[in-house]
């Protein structure tokens, strides 16, 4: 355990993508950085581990698909491919199966997607065409700190893209969402992507998520790192160490008294853990907000080992690395409403990723890993395995027959492998516009915790959850300016 006589420029608590982004940014500015991680492996939500389910098989323990691996301003500047991380973008970004052997297919080629949607193809083009044209503005509008105008929007083209994104969010995020489309497939596709927020639908924040991720599906693609998500974390750790940073694992911090002296502390933790660590030093209003921050819906995980591909009723669905399993938009909305009410849906929304589709090396001796999440109420103690199998079987008859092994983790136990996932809340709090705009403390600075030099940099802060590093990068920028008077360093290799 660190001793109080140590002195560092910066201490970062938590090695998820945001903690690593903050640590890398501070170390590249020439500061001495110590990174502390409670688990024995680094990466937080971007880890890949051998779960003992099959010889040579590894599973992503949280995130598996990475639409922002090259689109995020932080990761774009960091340049993962230049650091040896091979990112694969499947031709089919995602699929959404429906009853009756139907499916929505979101190809990277927008026009190919439009062609497959029949009468609703034109509406899909009108929805995403302007966003694809100004994709950088869409990313800028959604991944900024919500306190300044991102560089991507400081041009007529950028403003045009931001306006187009805002107008479509107002449609998709309100009762107007029924207007653009006549059939079932296109609305279901949008609802499936909005489901990444695990929030009631329709609502503005999940609509923004759907439109941003949907735009990337038709531009940079939904990428996966060859070998698993750990490749992203490992690249960040390597750069941190190359710039003098130190990483210590197996260190659970419970109080600020356990931390070395430092000029700045950045916490990639849940709001509850941040409140626990800084306790009585926090302003009372900040402490109340941190401890009472509303949680969102939860994820319960099921990892599978299969002896063959998923037998989808629509074979093209098997070409997608990511599949949203939930049925029609009405069914997705009903399931998410159940989750928000604390009721376990009979047919939960399931997010499925089949890594071997795009990364054949993940399979071993005819066996392949399969990654799934089911959306459930926060704190649910129910093993989700049977619910997930039934929901997949609905669209892939015979799925149960290709399952060799499985391991289900109830939402209540997700915290056992990541302290940030309290009650299975993988988003760091409820995904609402209030949370996105105000942040967890209600202060103008959504990262500062009211203690000089102490910043929250986790997914609980703006802009949004996800493996993009922007929460950590925004917090680090503030710390550099406020505590050290330093500019933001170059992130390029």
């Amino acid at each position: 355990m660190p001793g109080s006589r140590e002195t560092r420029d910066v201490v970062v608590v938590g090695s998820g993508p945001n903690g690593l982004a903050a640590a890398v940014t501070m170390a590249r500015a020439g500061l001495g950085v110590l990174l502390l991680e409670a688990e024995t492996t680094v990466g937080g939500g971007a880890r890949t581990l051998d779960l003992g389910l099959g010889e040579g098989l590894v599973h992503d323990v949280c995130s598996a698909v990475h639409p922002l691996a090259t689109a995020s301003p932080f990761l774009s500047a960091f340049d993962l491919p230049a650091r040896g991380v091979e990112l694969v973008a499947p031709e089919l970004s995602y699929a959404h199966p429906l009853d009756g052997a139907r499916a929505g297919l979101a190809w990277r080629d927008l026009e190919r997607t439009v062609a497959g949607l029949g009468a609703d193809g034109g509406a899909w083009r009108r929805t995403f065409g302007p966003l694809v044209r100004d994709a950088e503005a869409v990313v800028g509008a959604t991944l900024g700190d919500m306190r300044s105008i991102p560089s991507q929007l400081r041009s007529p083209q950028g403003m045009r893209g931001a306006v187009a994104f805002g107008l479509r969010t107002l449609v998709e995020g309100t009762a107007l969402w029924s207007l653009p489309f006549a059939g079932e497939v296109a609305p279901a596709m949008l609802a499936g992507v909005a489901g990444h927020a695990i929030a009631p639908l329709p609502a503005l924040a999940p609509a923004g998520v759907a439109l941003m991720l949907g735009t990337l599906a038709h531009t940079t693609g939904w990428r996966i790192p060859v070998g698993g998500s750990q490749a992203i974390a490992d690249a960040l750790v390597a750069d941190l160490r190359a710039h003098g940073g130190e990483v210590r694992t197996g260190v659970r911090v419970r109080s600020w008294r356990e931390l070395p002296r430092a000029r700045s502390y950045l916490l990639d933790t849940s709001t509850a853990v941040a409140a626990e660590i800084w306790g009585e030093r926090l302003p009372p209003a900040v402490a109340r907000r941190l401890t009472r921050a509303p949680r969102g819906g939860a994820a319960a995980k099921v990892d599978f080992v299969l002896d063959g591909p998923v037998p989808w009723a629509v074979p093209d669905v098997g070409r997608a690395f990511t599949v949203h399993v939930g049925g029609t938009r009405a069914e997705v909305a009903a399931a998410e409403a159940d989750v928000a009410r604390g009721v376990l849906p009979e047919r939960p929304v399931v997010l499925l990723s089949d890594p071997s589709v795009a990364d054949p090396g993940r399979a071993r001796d005819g066996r392949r890993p399969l990654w799934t999440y089911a959306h459930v109420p926060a704190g649910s103690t129910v093993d989700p395995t049977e619910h997930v199998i039934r929901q997949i079987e609905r669209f892939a008859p015979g799925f149960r027959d290709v399952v060799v092994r499985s391991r289900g983790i109830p939402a209540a136990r997700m915290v056992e492998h990541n302290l940030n996932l309290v009650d299975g809340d993988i988003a760091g709090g409820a995904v609402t516009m209030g949370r996105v705009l105000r942040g967890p403390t209600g202060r103008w600075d959504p990262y500062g915790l009211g203690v000089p030099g102490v910043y929250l940099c986790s997914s609980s802060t703006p802009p949004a959850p996800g493996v993009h590093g922007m929460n950590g990068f925004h917090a680090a920028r503030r710390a550099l300016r406020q505590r050290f008077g330093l500019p933001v360093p170059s992130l390029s290799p």
Side-chain angles (χ1 to χ4, degrees):
M1 183 65 64
S4 61
R5 286 177 293 180
E6 285 188 278
T7 301
R8 302 286 178 139
D9 292 322
V10 180
V11 174
V12 178
V13 179
S15 71
N18 286 308
L20 289 171
V24 163
T25 303
M26 302 300 269
R28 280 180 159 262
L31 301 172
V33 177
L34 172 64
L35 176 67
L36 303 176
E37 168 57 48
E39 299 297 324
T40 56
T41 55
V42 297
R47 287 181 293 157
T48 307
L49 300 175
D50 183 345
L51 302 178
L53 297 179
E55 185 175 354
L57 295 178
V58 294
H59 288 76
D60 294 309
V61 299
C62 188
S63 59
V65 57
H66 300 280
L68 289 157
T70 55
S72 154
F74 171 79
L75 290 177
S76 175
F78 188 75
D79 198 348
L80 288 166
R83 299 169 186 278
V85 179
E86 185 179 354
L87 297 167
V88 181
E91 187 180 11
L92 181 58
S93 293
Y94 66 89
H96 191 116
L98 292 162
D99 292 321
R102 297 174 297 155
L105 305 174
W107 303 95
R108 287 188 67 191
D109 183 338
L110 175 61
E111 289 305 314
R112 186 175 181 182
T113 306
V114 166
L117 288 173
D120 276 339
W124 193 268
R125 182 191 293 112
R126 288 188 293 275
T127 297
F128 282 105
L131 305 183
V132 168
R133 179 188 60 200
D134 296 328
E136 287 190 5
V138 173
V139 171
T142 52
L143 293 187
D145 63 4
M146 307 300 157
R147 299 297 184 275
S148 57
I149 299 176
S151 59
Q152 298 95 326
L153 306 187
R154 297 173 189 169
S155 68
Q157 179 181 358
M159 290 304 298
R160 179 185 66 189
V163 169
F165 176 76
L167 291 175
R168 284 155 179 78
T169 300
L170 286 174
V171 172
E172 184 61 23
T174 66
L176 298 175
W177 73 340
S178 298
L179 293 180
F181 304 105
E184 284 189 329
V185 177
M189 291 170 67
L190 275 170
V193 186
H196 283 253
I198 317 184
L201 303 175
L204 293 176
V209 170
L211 292 168
M212 186 265 283
L213 294 180
T215 298
L216 296 178
H218 297 308
T219 52
T220 57
W222 286 17
R223 297 173 179 264
I224 65 166
V226 170
S229 298
Q230 189 71 49
I232 295 176
D234 288 349
L236 290 163
V237 170
D239 188 82
L240 172 61
R241 287 176 167 149
H243 288 85
E246 181 184 353
V247 179
R248 297 181 189 173
T249 59
V251 179
R252 169 84 184 271
V253 178
R254 293 178 172 83
S255 169
W256 61 269
R257 295 177 178 86
E258 301 171 352
L259 294 169
R261 294 183 180 182
R263 292 178 65 186
S264 186
Y265 301 89
L266 294 109
L267 310 179
D268 183 10
T269 70
S270 68
T271 56
V273 170
E276 176 190 2
I277 291 174
W278 289 96
E280 73 281 2
R281 295 190 63 182
L282 292 171
V286 171
R288 283 194 298 273
R289 284 184 173 272
L290 292 178
T291 55
R292 299 175 186 175
R295 291 180 185 156
K301 185 113 183 305
V302 187
D303 293 297
F304 292 97
V305 175
L306 311 181
D307 62 7
V310 179
W312 297 108
V314 178
D316 270 345
V317 173
R319 300 175 64 179
F321 171 69
T322 303
V323 182
H324 303 131
V325 184
T328 65
R329 181 172 68 182
E331 289 177 305
V332 170
E336 300 292 45
D338 281 346
V339 168
R341 291 196 303 269
V343 176
L344 179 65
E346 181 62 28
R347 289 179 165 182
V349 173
V350 173
L351 177 62
L352 177 152
S353 289
D354 187 348
S356 301
V357 169
D359 182 7
R362 294 286 293 276
R364 292 285 189 276
D365 300 323
R367 304 288 173 89
R368 58 201 286 154
L370 187 75
W371 175 107
T372 67
Y373 270 159
H375 295 178
V376 301
S380 171
T381 59
V382 176
D383 184 324
T385 304
E386 187 58 30
H387 283 79
V388 169
I389 290 175
R390 286 201 305 266
Q391 188 72 315
I392 297 173
E393 277 247 332
R394 177 182 167 193
F395 306 104
F399 171 70
R400 193 185 298 271
D401 297 332
V402 301
V403 174
V404 177
R405 295 189 69 182
S406 64
R407 187 190 78 156
I409 305 177
R413 295 186 57 195
M414 293 286 282
V415 73
E416 293 175 10
H417 71 81
N418 188 331
L419 291 176
N420 283 5
L421 306 186
V422 179
D423 287 337
D425 179 2
I426 62 172
V431 181
T432 64
M433 285 303 293
R435 174 262 182 98
V436 170
L437 296 176
R438 291 194 303 269
T441 65
R443 298 162 58 92
W444 172 251
D445 180 353
Y447 309 96
L449 293 183
V451 179
V454 179
Y455 302 86
L456 186 64
C457 69
S458 68
S459 60
S460 297
T461 60
V467 179
H468 46 67
M470 292 304 293
N471 314 62
F473 181 59
H474 289 313
R477 290 174 57 194
R478 279 165 170 73
L480 285 173
R481 182 179 69 250
Q482 296 170 359
R483 301 297 290 175
F484 301 96
L486 294 174
V488 177
S490 168
L491 299 170
S492 61

